[in-house]
């Protein structure tokens, strides 16, 4: 008996060890992201002027227009259909409360947090700035929140508004809830007057210069319990372009933090690289920003992490030409140097007159995070993709403002053109080698491959052959991790130039072709699975029971080349905003299309045919693999009020994936239909989060 017990225990131990032998735990419920988020505290200071319910107006003098200021006030928020001014500094600042259009998600995305009755009351602070060289003169820069984002919306709240000269930030009850990046300064005049509405504000103080709020250290950190389809905290905070790297057992994700879908800094973007990482794909850590915005002229473009001199570094572009004409930047200086010497120069931009623009990089002080800017301009392109090739040579693919492949012995200048015509410019191209093949993929289109031992001019355009692996992610980044695995990461477009994070695993076939599948370690956690039906014999409808779920079913392809199946996802408005996933196994095509209750959706185009997978709405993919024999389809539907719709993520035969975002869709019902194709074992499991 004891021997049997020992044998059984040993078998169980072997099974457990085999599940974790690849270094990655398999429990899908364990994923969490430890956040850097914390409350904020405003240190004590002497107010320049103070108002109260007894003294609702006042005057003060500001010695300079180009400095910081802070306003601290106590407000009493009330849901009201009328617009009311809470605080006003004529010609400088107006703080208001008003009802917002529940259908308008542009910019601030206020409808992400409605009240129980569906209304969207808003608190907003609009600062009037005078951007340099702006033909329109003054512009108002609003920061704000929907009441619904607060735990107790109505009632008393402490509101802090802080203008640092670079950032314009709103804090409510010690939480940073919105910010923007300044262009220009307010004009105070010789003497400023201000006033508060005593029915909504009981106290207001202005500090000049401003008092910088300080983080409050937490004994127990905050965390998010998901990474797939994750967005940063906030009603208007999104993931933009992604750059990834694997170094000393740690997978790094650098992403351009986006508010307002590229609308920050008066539409100039105001992007910068935030940073998260993991060593086991279960516990993730949010680090300090790798490239924080520290000057008004800064707005940052995509780059790549790389290793040089055994140091983890991050290249990125300075998109200063969005703000100032090229002639006022350091780009002419850099191009003049290159044209004269045949290689690029190295310029410390903090020592030269003119606005910095072009390629620069930051260095990690500890090999994990703690990045510092070098302030060195090494190339005039504004989206540098720097990497070390498999032979150890430093290379760069030039994007936005330049093109081609470049090489150098040092990151700090000396870059020479190696292949001036490939890649042909554009946005965010990335190189990677996998086994016997080299690949270059663009941010939105363009995919090339060649045998690793072939010359640089032998890259073949995979898009023309329909062999690309674009799947709805924007600016996909590819990185090899442990055990020879490769990951594809990008963002799903939801609002302008931002959306949610997505990560899939890649597959390579012997002929060099690449497919994608879900990464099991980061799968969203689900409730208990339930069966909907053993077999679909005729068009059938099912209630989902949840707006976020995992749908799984098996497909028997049949022999008909025209055979296909469709899964229609319907919300409360029926066909309006609906979506169909359609798969034609023998034709080796799949698509997202506009849903129809009475029939299959019409045909969509693949990237080769002129479609737009990176639009992540309606599109097709072709040349499916593994659909000639019975296969499994898995579809995750993730709804979130912040999204204003649902993400649909489909995996076909474990070898191809495709993602779509469906605005205004909250799935309530499924319709499954088939045409000479079998559908069996239909199961559904609600997502836990």
């Amino acid at each position: 008996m004891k021997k049997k017990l020992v044998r059984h225990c040993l078998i169980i131990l072997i099974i457990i060890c085999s599940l974790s032998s690849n270094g990655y735990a398999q429990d899908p419920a364990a994923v969490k992201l430890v956040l850097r988020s914390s409350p904020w505290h405003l240190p004590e200071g002497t107010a320049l002027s103070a108002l109260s319910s007894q003294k609702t107006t006042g005057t003060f003098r500001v010695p300079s227009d180009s400095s910081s200021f802070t306003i601290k006030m106590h407000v009493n928020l009330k849901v009201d259909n009328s617009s009311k001014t809470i605080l006003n500094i004529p010609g400088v600042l107006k703080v208001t409360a008003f009802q917002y259009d529940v259908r308008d998600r542009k910019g601030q995305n206020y409808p992400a947090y409605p009240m129980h009755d569906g209304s969207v009351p808003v608190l907003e602070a609009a600062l009037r700035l005078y951007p340099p060289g702006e033909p329109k003169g003054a512009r108002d820069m609003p920061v704000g929140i929907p009441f619904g984002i607060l735990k107790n919306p109505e009632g008393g709240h402490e509101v802090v508004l802080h203008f640092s000269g670079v950032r314009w930030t709103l804090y409510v009850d010690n939480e940073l809830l919105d910010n923007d990046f300044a262009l220009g300064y307010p004009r105070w005049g010789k003497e400023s007057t201000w006033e508060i509405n005593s029915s909504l504000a009981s106290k207001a103080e202005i500090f000049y210069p401003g008092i910088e709020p300080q983080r409050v250290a937490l004994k127990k950190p905050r965390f998010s319990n998901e990474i797939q389809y994750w967005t940063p905290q906030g009603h208007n905070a999104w993931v933009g372009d992604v750059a990834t790297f694997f170094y000393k057992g740690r997978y790094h994700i650098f992403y351009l933090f986006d508010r307002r879908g590229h609308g920050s800094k008066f539409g100039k973007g105001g992007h910068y690289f935030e940073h998260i990482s993991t060593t086991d794909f279960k516990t993730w850590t949010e680090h300090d920003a790798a490239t924080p915005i520290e000057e008004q002229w800064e707005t940052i473009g995509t780059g790549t992490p790389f290793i040089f001199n055994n140091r983890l570094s991050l290249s990125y572009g300075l998109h200063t030409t969005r703000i100032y004409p090229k002639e006022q930047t350091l780009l002419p200086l850099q191009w003049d140097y290159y044209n004269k010497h045949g290689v690029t120069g190295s310029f410390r931009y903090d020592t030269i007159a003119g606005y910095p623009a072009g390629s620069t990089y930051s260095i990690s002080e500890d090999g994990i995070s703690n990045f510092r800017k070098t302030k060195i301009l090494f190339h005039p392109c504004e989206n540098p993709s720097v990497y070390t090739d498999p032979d150890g040579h430093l290379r760069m693919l030039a994007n936005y403002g330049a093109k081609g492949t470049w090489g150098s012995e040092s990151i700090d200048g000396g870059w020479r053109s190696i292949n001036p015509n490939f890649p042909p410019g554009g946005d965010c191209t990335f190189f990677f080698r996998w086994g016997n093949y080299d690949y270059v993929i663009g941010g939105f289109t363009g995919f090339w491959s060649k045998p690793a031992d072939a010359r640089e001019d032998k890259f073949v355009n995979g898009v023309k052959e329909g062999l690309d692996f674009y799947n709805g992610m924007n600016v996909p980044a590819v990185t090899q991790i442990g055990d020879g695995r490769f990951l594809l990461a990008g963002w799903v477009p939801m609002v302008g130039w931002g959306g949610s994070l997505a990560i899939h695993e890649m597959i390579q076939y012997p002929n060099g072709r690449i497919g994608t599948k879900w990464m099991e370690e980061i799968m969203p956690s689900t409730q208990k699975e339930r069966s909907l039906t053993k077999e679909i014999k005729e068009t059938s409808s099912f209630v989902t029971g949840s707006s976020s779920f995992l749908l799984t079913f098996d497909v028997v392809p049949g022999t008909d080349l025209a055979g296909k199946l469709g899964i229609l996802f319907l919300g409360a408005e029926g066909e309006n905003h609906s979506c169909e996933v359609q798969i034609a196994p023998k034709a080796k095509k799949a698509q997202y299309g506009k849903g129809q209750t009475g029939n299959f959706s019409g045909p969509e185009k693949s990237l080769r045919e002129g479609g737009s997978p990176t639009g992540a709405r309606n599109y097709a993919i072709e040349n499916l693999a593994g659909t000639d024999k019975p296969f499994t389809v898995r579809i995750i539907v993730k709804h979130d009020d912040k999204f204003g719709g649902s993400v649909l993520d489909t995996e076909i035969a474990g070898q191809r994936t495709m993602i779509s975002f469906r605005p205004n869709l909250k799935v309530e019902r499924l319709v499954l239909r088939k045409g000479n194709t079998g559908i069996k074992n239909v199961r559904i499991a609600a997502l836990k989060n």
Side-chain angles (χ1 to χ4, degrees):
M1 186 68 181
K2 288 184 178 180
K3 288 183 178 179
K4 285 185 177 180
L5 181 61
V6 170
R7 190 182 305 115
H8 288 160
C9 291
L10 183 60
I11 291 172
I12 292 171
L13 181 62
I14 290 172
I15 292 172
I16 293 172
C17 290
S18 67
L19 288 173
S20 59
S21 62
N22 61 2
Y24 308 121
Q26 297 296 313
D27 178 12
V31 173
K32 71 175 182 179
L33 169 60
V34 180
L35 299 171
R36 187 171 174 268
S37 167
S38 71
W40 294 77
H41 167 68
L42 187 68
E44 294 296 325
T46 302
L48 180 66
S49 180
L51 302 177
S52 67
S53 54
Q54 290 76 38
K55 181 189 175 185
T56 60
T57 63
T59 61
F60 57 87
R61 290 189 177 185
V62 170
S64 169
D65 285 340
S66 56
S67 185
S68 62
F69 71 91
T70 305
I71 291 176
K72 179 179 180 181
M73 56 183 175
H74 295 282
V75 301
N76 183 33
L77 296 181
K78 300 175 183 178
V79 175
D80 195 322
N81 289 329
S82 62
S83 176
K84 292 187 176 180
T85 299
I86 299 174
L87 178 147
N88 186 35
I89 305 176
V92 176
L93 172 66
K94 181 176 283 190
V95 182
T96 55
F98 59 94
Q99 284 287 346
Y100 194 77
D101 184 351
V102 298
R103 298 163 298 180
D104 183 5
R105 285 183 172 267
K106 293 180 181 178
Q108 288 290 73
N109 196 39
Y110 288 139
Y113 290 88
M115 302 292 282
H116 293 302
D117 64 358
S119 66
V120 183
V122 164
L123 169 71
E124 192 168 86
L127 178 65
R128 181 158 297 178
L129 299 175
Y130 291 79
E134 178 64 57
K136 296 180 181 179
R139 298 187 64 177
D140 288 342
M141 177 172 280
V143 290
I145 57 163
F147 284 17
I149 202 171
L150 302 174
K151 185 177 181 180
N152 299 300
E154 294 193 275
H157 299 275
E158 181 179 87
V159 175
V160 173
L161 295 164
H162 180 63
F163 177 76
S164 71
V166 176
R167 294 176 179 83
W168 172 227
T169 308
L170 168 67
Y171 304 83
V172 181
D173 299 332
N174 302 315
E175 299 290 342
L176 193 164
L177 296 183
D178 194 16
N179 74 334
D180 203 338
F181 297 97
L183 267 181
Y185 291 86
R187 290 180 182 173
W188 295 95
K190 293 182 178 180
E191 187 172 73
S192 295
T193 62
W194 68 322
E195 61 181 336
I196 58 172
N197 182 339
S198 60
S199 67
L200 295 174
S202 60
K203 183 180 179 180
E205 298 172 290
I206 184 167
F207 303 89
Y208 192 98
I211 303 173
E212 191 73 35
Q214 304 296 318
R215 286 184 179 274
V216 176
L218 293 175
K219 293 182 180 179
K220 184 178 180 181
R222 298 169 175 175
F223 66 91
S224 171
N225 49 18
E226 60 187 354
I227 196 70
Q228 192 73 294
Y229 322 122
W230 174 80
T231 63
Q233 289 181 301
H235 58 94
N236 60 358
W238 308 99
V239 173
D241 292 359
V242 167
T244 60
F245 203 65
F246 190 75
Y247 180 59
K248 293 186 176 180
R250 182 177 293 270
Y251 180 67
H252 297 264
I253 294 178
F254 302 91
Y255 69 92
L256 291 183
F257 181 88
D258 177 90
R259 287 196 195 269
R260 305 170 184 88
H262 210 287
S264 292
K265 201 183 275 270
F266 294 135
K268 310 302 182 183
H271 293 132
Y272 64 96
F273 271 114
E274 288 281 7
H275 179 204
I276 58 178
S277 73
T278 182
T279 57
D280 61 4
F281 295 94
K282 286 300 182 182
T283 300
W284 298 69
T285 301
E286 186 175 40
H287 304 286
D288 289 344
T291 61
I293 291 181
E294 298 168 313
E295 303 286 347
Q296 283 203 3
W297 53 261
E298 281 184 299
T299 183
I300 287 170
T302 310
T304 51
F306 63 97
I307 298 296
F308 183 70
N309 286 340
N310 296 314
R311 304 191 75 176
L312 176 61
S313 304
L314 175 65
S315 67
Y316 57 97
L318 299 176
H319 283 212
T320 319
T321 50
R322 292 176 180 170
I323 303 172
Y324 294 98
K326 180 179 178 180
E327 293 72 28
Q328 295 183 28
T329 73
L330 296 178
L331 290 176
L333 174 67
Q334 295 178 76
W335 281 119
D336 287 347
Y337 186 97
Y338 173 73
N339 291 331
K340 182 177 180 179
H341 300 280
V343 295
T344 67
S346 178
F347 303 93
R348 278 290 303 247
Y349 65 68
D350 57 341
T351 65
I352 305 173
Y355 293 107
S359 300
T360 185
Y361 69 106
S362 290
I363 297 175
S364 170
E365 298 287 6
D366 57 9
I368 298 175
S369 58
N370 296 318
F371 283 81
R372 66 168 178 83
K373 297 175 182 176
T374 62
K375 300 183 179 180
I376 294 173
L377 295 172
F378 63 84
H379 195 284
C381 98
E382 296 176 64
N383 272 359
S385 292
V386 176
Y387 63 98
T388 303
D389 74 13
D391 297 321
H393 300 127
L394 200 59
R395 296 286 183 262
M396 182 185 74
L397 306 181
N399 308 281
Y400 187 50
K403 64 178 183 178
T405 305
W406 299 68
S408 179
E409 300 302 317
S410 169
I411 183 67
D412 297 331
W415 290 89
R416 64 195 181 282
S417 177
I418 295 175
N419 188 344
N421 297 314
F422 180 83
D427 272 323
C428 319
T429 47
F430 296 97
F431 167 89
F432 64 100
R433 174 173 289 180
W434 191 347
N436 296 322
Y437 291 88
D438 289 343
Y439 306 89
V440 172
I441 185 170
F444 303 98
T445 184
F447 168 66
W448 302 269
S449 64
K450 71 174 184 64
D453 57 1
R455 298 195 315 266
E456 292 288 326
D457 59 355
K458 296 300 181 181
F459 275 101
V460 175
N461 190 329
V463 172
K464 287 185 177 180
E465 299 180 9
L467 297 177
D468 62 274
F469 53 89
Y470 287 97
N471 66 348
M473 294 185 196
N474 279 234
V475 193
V478 177
T479 296
Q480 181 178 2
I481 62 172
D483 298 335
R485 299 165 71 187
F486 280 72
L487 299 186
L488 180 75
W491 56 279
V492 181
M494 294 178 175
V495 50
W497 211 261
S500 68
L501 176 66
I503 305 169
H504 285 173
E505 188 167 350
M506 301 171 72
I507 300 167
Q508 187 188 48
Y509 300 98
N511 64 356
R513 188 187 168 193
I514 287 177
T516 52
K517 64 179 181 178
W518 288 351
M519 186 179 190
E520 297 299 325
E521 292 93 331
I522 61 171
M523 284 266 304
S525 299
T526 62
Q527 307 284 354
K528 185 177 180 181
E529 184 182 77
R530 59 186 177 91
S531 174
L532 294 181
T533 182
K534 289 293 183 182
E535 185 175 2
I536 298 294
K537 297 182 178 179
E538 58 185 16
T539 299
S540 303
S541 177
F542 304 93
V543 175
T544 62
S546 172
S547 58
S548 297
F549 54 87
L550 167 63
L551 179 70
T552 307
F553 57 89
D554 300 322
V555 179
V556 181
T559 59
D560 190 347
L561 185 63
K564 58 186 175 182
L565 61 93
I567 309 94
L568 178 61
F569 297 86
L570 296 166
E573 299 181 60
E575 282 190 1
N576 196 22
H577 308 304
S578 67
C579 173
E580 183 194 70
V581 174
Q582 187 182 119
I583 302 172
K586 287 295 183 179
K588 301 183 185 301
K589 292 194 74 173
Q591 69 173 43
Y592 288 107
K594 186 180 184 303
Q596 303 178 82
T597 55
N599 206 342
F600 288 100
S601 62
E604 299 292 339
K605 294 181 179 180
S606 68
L607 182 59
R608 178 184 63 85
E609 297 166 329
S612 178
T614 52
R617 300 299 189 265
N618 296 331
Y619 67 93
I621 60 173
E622 55 187 331
N623 292 312
L624 296 177
T627 60
D628 288 329
K629 56 185 179 181
F631 61 92
T632 298
V633 174
R634 297 191 292 176
I635 304 174
I636 289 175
V637 177
K638 170 72 174 180
H639 177 268
D640 194 297
D641 286 339
K642 178 179 177 179
F643 298 170
S646 299
V647 172
L648 275 69
D649 189 351
T650 302
E651 181 195 61
I652 302 169
Q655 299 181 66
R656 286 296 298 275
T657 59
M658 54 191 307
I659 304 173
S660 180
F661 172 64
R662 314 307 295 196
N664 302 305
L665 176 61
K666 185 176 184 179
V667 179
E668 296 181 353
R669 187 162 59 93
L670 305 172
V671 176
L672 278 75
R673 59 169 61 97
K674 64 189 184 71
N676 299 320
T677 298
I679 304 175
K680 295 184 176 182
N681 302 320
V682 184
R683 295 97 71 195
I684 193 169
L687 301 189
K688 287 185 177 179
N689 304 309

